[in-house]
Amino acid sequence: MERGKSMVTVSDDNSESGNSEDLELGFHLGLPGISDGGGSREDFWNVVEDEGRKEPAGVELSIGRMSEIDVDVGCSQQRLGHFRRFLLDSCGNVGLGDESAEHSGSSFLASAVESEYLDWDLQNKRAKFDSCNFPEFPNLSADSQSNIARGIFGYFQNSCFPSVPIGNYNITHIGGSNCDDGVDGMEEDGTPMDLSDDLLHMVFSFLGHVDLCRAAMVCKQWRTAGSHEDFWRSLDFEGRSISIQQFEDICRRYPRASKVNFSGTPVVHLLAMRAVSLLRNLEAMTLGRGHLGEALFLALTDCQMLQRLIVNDATLGNSVQEISFNHDRLQHLQITKCRVFRLSVRCPQLETLSLKRSTMAHAVLYCPLLHDLDIGSCHKLPDAAVRAAVTSCPLLESLDISNCSYVSDETLREVALVCANLRVLDASYCPNISLESVRLPMLTDLRLDSCDGITSASMAAISHSYMLEELDLDNCSLLTSVSLDLPHLRSISLLYCRKFVDLSLHCLMLSSVTLWNSAALNRISIASNALKKLILQKQESLTSLSLQCKCLQEVDLSDCESLTNSICEVFSDGGGCPMLKSLVLDNCESLTAVGLQSTSLSSLSLAGCRAITSLNLTCPYLEEVRLDGCDHLARASFAPVGLQSLNLGICPKLESLSIDAPVMMLLELKGCGVLSEVCINCPMLTSLDASFCSKLQDDCLSAVTISCPRIDSLILMSCPAIGSDGLSSLSWLKNLVYLDLSYTFLMDLRPVFQACMQLKVLKLQACKYLSDSSLEALYKEHALPALQELDLSYGTLRQSAIEELLACCTHLTHLSLNGCVNMHDLDWGSTRGQFPESSSVYAASRFSSLGVVNKMVYLPPRLLEHLNCVGCPNIKKVSIPRLARCENLSFLNLSLSTNLKEVYITCLNLCFLNLSNCCSLEILKLECPRLTSLFLQSCNIDEEAVESAISRCHMLETLDVRFCPKICTGSMGRLRMACSSLKRIFSSLSPN
């Protein structure tokens, strides 16, 4: 046989024994063809990973007496390197906790592969590993450990046995010798150990029963490893069909099984009887969804090792007889949702018992050590039966009698006398309980949800439970007031108490108060040293709140519509909440004047408080405030506060404002149309938006510029009261680079030119009173040398002033002339500007004299990048020749210029040109090699002109000719031929 080839034998020396082993695994899993009792070994071996899917056609496997299967092992040193890298990747991807754990885990596994003890059995061509114990990773979850195991399992499945993958038998050869001969055991030197003895056992310990059975179908070694009794101590047959004979075979194979689950099996009673007799080490049994006879409970008496029994959704006996269950060592018994007439339990070692939702009418208990009893939802159990059952358990610590509608106060009084150690009581949905004269001093957890008998008088009984930690009074419809002084109380819940009016809690350990939808609640008083968060939303009648909570940090009083201005005293310094950081008073519509003085408050929300007219905050660490919807706020003072930004533009009726914020950088007053008194002391302020503050005067602006010298962005749009004096004060703003004076009544810009030498952006939209001479300083005196962006849209400047501006202000990068009705042409080739007359943008050589051309050569290039001339109705011609030196122009928008007829543009870097809605356009001459987008929507231009224009635009990608009446459907092909770079043509006549 070749080196690198080995034999994996699936032998069948004893066909009956081998068949039994295979069937036992198959029975346990309920695999197709076996679990029904009529299967064979052939059915078992033909099961694939997806249950119910048979092998592909053409794959044959002899079942009678198995021959040897030849597989490729590939014993090479290269495979060792692959396996090492696989282990490192597997350990690195499962999340070992911290980096050290990950490194140690992956390094250990890798070193196991590369260690000097790893060798190859040259006779059998099999990898040998040193006998070692793989470490347990304390920071590794069970899922991650299982992923490592599955990964190693898959590696050997795909690498060591590639011809026999699990769940898909790809058999390459039948015949040969047995590879198992001579591989079990130790080498001569005693150090190397067979892979299946240590590594397989470790890997298989992370697999479930289904995976173990699939692994057993690979070869004899894997079947032996997967059949180890350590993996089969728990037998789970839930929901599976299994016969008595099949179960007996499994019990004989695994007699030490300690856990068994028969829930949902068809013959649950008989199977349980056989389990009791065959599994002498049985410790836990789960039964359910069937009929269990009295004989089973009698037989369980002899199951001495049994400690846990679970019976769920079963019929016990014939439903009219008494079921008695006696066991000396049972510790946990659960009989839930069972149908039985009478039940008797005598288990002296029993610790927990649950009879929840069972239908017995009588229960007798003898469980002197019982400490946890659950008889919740036992509707047929009368009060006397509950009393007798509970009082027979003197060591009881936890009792659940919820939904036991017959339970009365008399029963609870006797329970309190007998069960002195009772700590947990759940009496929810017990309408007859009022706790009158009930004393439970050791109680720590009390649940009285939906107990209609609980009233304010019941609080006297609860007050005697001085160890109480958790109290649930949800849906107690008759409860009107709660007054408790419990030193250990940590949590109280009062949901949907419709008549609840008054809450008074003096509980120093209280950390959780849950109140919701108590419509009548009027007064709250809480004293606690542990409460950190208080949520009292939608308490519509709450008018009085008293808090003495030195650790309280968050309070939410949203939608408490009846709260008055006095609430501010509670949250100010000295009010009982010295560590308060967050306060939410949203939609508290009765608040009219809010005044807070707090050295701890950092967040305040008053959104929706529409009645507030006055706000006074003295909170030096306040970082966030919300005033959305405070429509009637007239006076506001923030002095001092720690705000970094503030938006008061949502307060249209604000008249007076005072701000002292040492770290504030952004202030927005947009829309404060009646604001007339402003005092702002914000030395770090960089941006101020006072748009539409129509009453803002020069003196206010002057005061602001002095106290806020770092402002670099100032917006005074629609501030008509600002005049020359106010603009002169801008000289204090040495960092001012952005100034918006749009929609003002300015007539003289000299104060701006003199005071704002660093200005980069100047917006003068719709300044109707600016004359032509107002901008002369820009293009004659070189004022504002740093100016880059100028907006003169919708102004009244004449053609001559615009031409001078275009000719001389070569340092501008953005210029907007939208809606300038006095601009007739945009002709940078005319003699009125810098350039001599030219008949065409392409005729640069036709200038009148050589001297002029020489003059043009030495002109500096323009820095203009964006030019907007949208909606200029009187423009008829646009001419931008090469000699205009617009080398940086990349964006030109001339849309909505309805009288524009001629366009001549030669611009090397123009990328975007918009001529949409220029309905008079007839001539279009372009030489723009970098143009990528051209918009001609609703233009009256013909297809020949468009074709000629785009033929010189070699990078054009987008062309919009929608609603162009002279461009027909057949023109799309011609346009694409004229410009091969076109990718998108938008047309109303044809799809893209």
Side-chain angles (χ1 to χ4, degrees), residues 40 48 113 183 266 304 311 354 364 441 503 520 575 578 590 607 610 665 701 734 758 839 908 926 936 954-955 989:
S40 64
V48 294
V113 179
V183 297
Q304 296 299 320
V311 182
S354 176
V364 177
L503 173 64
S590 296
R610 303 184 183 279
M665 302 178 66
L701 180 59
K734 304 301 182 181
Q758 304 298 323
S839 60
L908 297 179
L926 301 177
L936 299 171
H954 307 300
M955 298 181 66
L989 302 177

Side-chain angles (χ1 to χ4, degrees), residues 699-744:
D699 56 345
C700 294
L701 180 59
S702 299
V704 170
T705 57
I706 294 174
S707 61
C708 307
R710 295 195 178 188
I711 292 179
D712 58 25
S713 175
L714 179 61
I715 301 177
L716 298 173
M717 179 189 298
S718 295
C719 295
I722 298 296
S724 299
D725 294 339
L727 295 178
S728 298
S729 67
L730 299 181
S731 59
W732 292 96
L733 306 179
K734 304 301 182 181
N735 299 320
L736 186 65
V737 295
Y738 185 101
L739 178 61
D740 190 347
L741 297 172
S742 302
Y743 296 92
T744 57

Side-chain angles (χ1 to χ4, degrees), residues 819-889:
C820 291
V821 296
N822 294 328
M823 187 168 63
H824 300 290
D825 290 314
L826 184 61
D827 190 356
W828 285 350
S830 67
T831 57
R832 287 181 291 182
Q834 266 184 310
F835 308 105
E837 184 176 357
S838 175
S839 60
S840 171
V841 293
Y842 306 111
S845 63
R846 297 183 181 179
F847 289 102
S848 59
S849 67
L850 181 62
V852 175
V853 175
N854 291 335
K855 178 182 177 181
M856 299 304 302
V857 171
Y858 295 101
L859 287 175
R862 299 175 183 272
L863 300 180
L864 189 63
E865 298 176 2
H866 285 233
L867 177 59
N868 287 291
C869 297
V870 178
C872 297
N874 296 319
I875 290 183
K876 297 181 180 179
K877 179 181 177 181
V878 173
S879 175
I880 305 178
R882 185 188 302 273
L883 295 179
R885 302 299 303 274
C886 295
E887 298 173 359
N888 296 297
L889 186 63

Side-chain angles (χ1 to χ4, degrees), residues 726-774:
L727 295 178
S728 298
S729 67
L730 299 181
S731 59
W732 292 96
L733 306 179
K734 304 301 182 181
N735 299 320
L736 186 65
V737 295
Y738 185 101
L739 178 61
D740 190 347
L741 297 172
S742 302
Y743 296 92
T744 57
F745 298 152
L746 295 175
M747 300 177 64
D748 187 6
L749 291 177
R750 282 179 299 179
V752 176
F753 296 151
Q754 296 172 0
C756 308
M757 298 302 295
Q758 304 298 323
L759 201 62
K760 294 182 179 180
V761 180
L762 177 59
K763 293 184 177 293
L764 299 170
Q765 294 184 24
C767 292
K768 303 293 186 178
Y769 295 95
L770 284 178
S771 62
D772 292 351
S773 60
S774 301

Side-chain angles (χ1 to χ4, degrees), residues 510-527:
L510 187 65
S511 60
S512 175
V513 178
T514 305
L515 283 168
W516 183 264
N517 204 19
S518 298
L521 183 59
N522 179 262
R523 179 181 175 275
I524 296 178
S525 177
I526 300 176

Side-chain angles (χ1 to χ4, degrees), residues 517-522 536-543 558-563 590:
N517 204 19
S518 298
L521 183 59
N522 179 262
L536 300 173
Q537 297 177 350
K538 295 187 178 181
Q539 307 301 327
E540 300 175 355
S541 301
L542 183 63
T543 58
S558 301
D559 299 293
C560 294
E561 300 176 355
S562 300
L563 282 177
S590 296

